[in-house]
């Protein structure tokens, strides 16, 4: 019982407010008439108590179990408040007005890169926003994989793929427009880039490497480099059938048209040398064999060069006396050492030596079929 409590008399009619205590056993109760009446405490019953004298529970410190039970505090929102529509301008960087667009494949677990799912991103490394459409091809039809907008200097997560799903990403087309919505800009031609996704590369650890866009290793597939779309060669099954069944001269022309310019020149040189009785020439420089080196590691390039070397020898093994000059360049000698090792282990019936220094310098090897 405290001062301010409203009480009623237990053995009499009436009651009032406790205004003071004469002792621990006697309380002074003021009734409605304003007079104080001394009453024993044990003959009073508290009806209501003054909130001022009630001990309030202390708030539990943040992070304790009791704090988790407290309802979250929400800011009061007035329906009449204006809606904030401000959007900051995209960040631009110096030299970023040249388009660079890539597809990135990031393993969810790098220690299990050959089996773990892959997160696929579209990387827009430029000051332009890219409004894009990504299509997958299946024979003469295509299907929409993704569409949207990749803002300037950002990457957009597209989906998570399993290695089994890579087959439906084998042939892609990226179409899009490069624009700036917040300022005037120099227009760029619309993008229409064909891409080829080689599923075998995803099972090679060295195909995944560091990049400025991710904290872990990723496989990057270039779509646009320094404003120029990357050219990928697609061979339609119908075109391949026609080339095989056509007249040999016509088939050779179709094959030559599909090669990069430097390879076409090398093949023309080979045919001329062969007709004149001289040695055949095969240029093993990477840029002569491949339409693009983007996304390829040094090991990928070396494997492909050795593949061309073996296929050339296999095609002429029955033609004794044939001489073939393989142009590999001087460099660090890695490719030449790999050629010699292959000759010693798989082509012991062939003789080899350095080609003519006057014609090729130190960068060619002459192989004779015996």
């Amino acid at each position: 019982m405290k001062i301010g409590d409203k009480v009623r008399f237990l053995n009499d009619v009436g009651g009032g407010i406790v205004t003071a205590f004469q002792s621990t056993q006697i309380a002074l109760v003021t009734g409605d008439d304003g007079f104080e009446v001394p009453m024993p405490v044990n003959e009073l019953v508290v009806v209501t108590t003054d909130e001022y004298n009630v001990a309030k529970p202390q708030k539990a410190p943040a992070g304790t179990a009791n704090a988790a039970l407290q309802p979250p505090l929400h800011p009061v929102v007035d329906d009449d408040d204006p809606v904030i529509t401000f959007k900051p301008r995209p960040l631009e960087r110096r030299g970023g007005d040249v388009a660079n667009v890539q597809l990135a494949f990031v393993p969810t677990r790098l220690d299990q890169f050959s089996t773990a799912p892959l997160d696929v991103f579209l990387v827009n490394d430029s000051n332009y926003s890219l409004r894009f459409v990504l299509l997958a091809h299946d024979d003469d039809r295509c299907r929409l994989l993704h569409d949207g907008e990749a803002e300037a200097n950002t990457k957009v997560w597209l989906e998570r793929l399993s290695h089994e799903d890579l087959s439906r990403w084998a042939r892609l087309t990226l179409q899009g427009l490069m624009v700036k919505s917040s300022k005037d800009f120099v227009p760029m031609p619309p993008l229409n880039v064909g891409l080829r996704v080689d599923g075998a590369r995803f099972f090679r650890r060295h195909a995944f490497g560091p990049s400025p866009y991710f904290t872990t290793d990723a496989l990057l597939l270039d779509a646009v480099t320094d404003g120029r779309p990357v050219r990928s060669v697609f061979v339609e099954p119908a075109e391949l059938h026609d080339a095989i069944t056509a007249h040999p001269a016509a088939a050779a022309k179709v094959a030559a048209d599909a090669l990069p310019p430097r390879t076409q020149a090398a093949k023309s040189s080979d045919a001329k040398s062969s007709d004149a009785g001289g040695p055949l020439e095969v240029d093993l420089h990477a840029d002569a064999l491949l339409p693009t080196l983007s996304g390829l590691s040094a090991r990928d390039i070396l494997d492909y060069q050795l593949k061309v070397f073996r296929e050339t020898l296999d095609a002429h093994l029955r033609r004794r006396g044939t001489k073939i000059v393989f142009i590999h360049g001087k460099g660090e000698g890695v490719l030449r050492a790999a050629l010699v090792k292959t000759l010693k282990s798989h082509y012991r019936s062939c003789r080899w030596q350095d080609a003519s220094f006057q014609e090729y310098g130190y960068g060619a090897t002459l192989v004779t079929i015996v």
Side-chain angles (χ1 to χ4, degrees):
M1 186 178 298
K2 303 177 181 61
I3 295 174
D5 288 350
K6 185 176 181 180
V7 297
R8 63 180 177 83
F9 303 141
L10 182 61
N11 298 318
D12 198 354
V13 177
I17 303 297
V18 176
T19 54
F21 289 91
Q22 286 186 347
S23 66
T24 57
Q25 302 297 325
I26 303 297
L28 298 179
V29 178
T30 301
D32 294 336
D33 54 2
F35 293 96
E36 286 185 345
V37 179
M39 293 291 296
V41 173
N42 57 4
E43 294 187 8
L44 299 175
V45 177
V46 177
V47 178
T48 59
T49 184
D50 187 357
E51 292 279 351
Y52 179 83
N53 294 315
V54 176
K56 295 180 175 59
Q58 299 295 321
K59 290 184 179 180
T64 63
N66 290 336
L69 301 178
Q70 298 296 325
L73 298 177
H74 299 284
V76 178
V77 179
D78 189 347
D79 293 338
D80 295 333
D81 288 344
V83 178
I84 299 176
T85 58
F86 170 76
K87 185 177 181 181
R89 286 187 175 184
L91 295 177
E92 294 193 355
R93 56 183 178 79
R94 182 175 299 177
D97 280 349
V98 178
N100 287 280
V101 181
Q102 297 169 312
L103 279 178
F105 300 84
V106 183
T108 53
R109 291 195 58 178
L110 195 59
D111 58 338
Q112 300 178 7
F113 70 94
S114 61
T115 56
L118 301 157
D119 284 328
V120 187
F121 295 84
L122 179 67
V123 180
N124 177 21
D125 187 9
S126 69
N127 292 337
Y128 286 76
S129 294
L130 172 60
R131 297 174 183 175
F132 68 92
V133 174
L134 186 64
L135 308 173
H137 292 264
D138 186 7
D139 293 332
D140 59 341
R141 304 180 67 85
C142 64
R143 62 184 179 278
L144 176 66
L145 290 178
H146 295 281
D147 64 335
E149 181 172 356
E151 294 187 356
N153 299 302
T154 60
K155 56 181 181 285
V156 177
W157 182 84
L158 299 180
E159 66 175 278
R160 179 166 290 182
L161 287 177
S162 66
H163 281 72
E164 291 75 15
D165 294 331
L166 285 172
S167 58
R168 65 186 180 91
W169 283 59
R171 289 182 50 195
L172 304 174
T173 294
L174 177 66
Q175 298 177 337
L177 294 173
M178 307 292 291
V179 298
K180 292 185 179 182
S181 57
S182 59
K183 60 185 294 187
D184 294 342
F185 59 92
V186 177
M188 290 190 180
L191 298 181
N192 188 21
V193 187
L195 302 172
R196 189 66 178 261
V197 179
D198 183 5
R201 293 182 60 197
F202 293 84
F203 294 92
R204 303 170 187 165
R205 176 60 183 87
H206 58 265
F208 297 87
S211 72
Y213 314 117
F214 303 95
T215 57
T216 184
D217 289 353
L219 190 155
L220 301 181
L221 183 63
D222 290 333
V224 182
T225 302
D226 295 333
R228 293 176 295 179
V230 175
R231 180 183 173 221
S232 295
V233 179
F234 289 159
V235 179
E236 297 290 349
E239 295 179 3
L240 183 61
H241 178 269
D242 293 342
I244 294 174
T245 57
H247 188 275
K253 183 179 184 303
V254 173
D257 291 342
L259 294 173
R262 185 169 178 178
T263 308
Q264 294 179 30
K267 293 302 180 183
S268 300
S269 176
D270 293 346
K272 182 177 180 181
S273 299
S274 178
D275 294 341
L280 299 176
E281 294 180 358
V282 178
D283 192 347
L284 294 180
H285 284 93
D287 56 352
L289 298 176
L290 298 165
T292 177
L293 304 183
S294 300
L296 296 178
S297 66
R299 184 65 197 180
D300 290 333
I301 296 172
L302 179 61
D303 288 344
Y304 190 78
Q305 290 169 319
L306 291 176
K307 177 176 178 290
V308 173
F309 175 70
R310 291 191 298 266
E311 289 177 349
T312 304
L313 288 179
D314 292 340
H316 295 86
L317 277 180
R318 295 185 180 181
R319 302 175 184 177
R320 294 184 178 181
T322 301
K323 296 182 178 182
I324 309 174
V325 175
F326 292 97
I327 305 171
H328 47 70
K330 185 178 179 181
E332 298 179 358
V334 176
L335 177 56
R336 185 184 186 280
L339 298 184
V340 172
K341 181 179 178 181
T342 303
L343 286 167
K344 289 181 178 180
S345 58
H346 294 90
Y347 301 95
R348 297 181 180 179
S349 61
C350 297
R351 296 198 307 264
W352 66 91
Q353 65 186 64
D354 290 336
S356 170
F357 177 79
Q358 292 182 346
E359 295 185 37
Y360 307 102
Y362 292 104
T365 299
L366 172 63
V367 178
T368 304
I369 308 295
V370 296

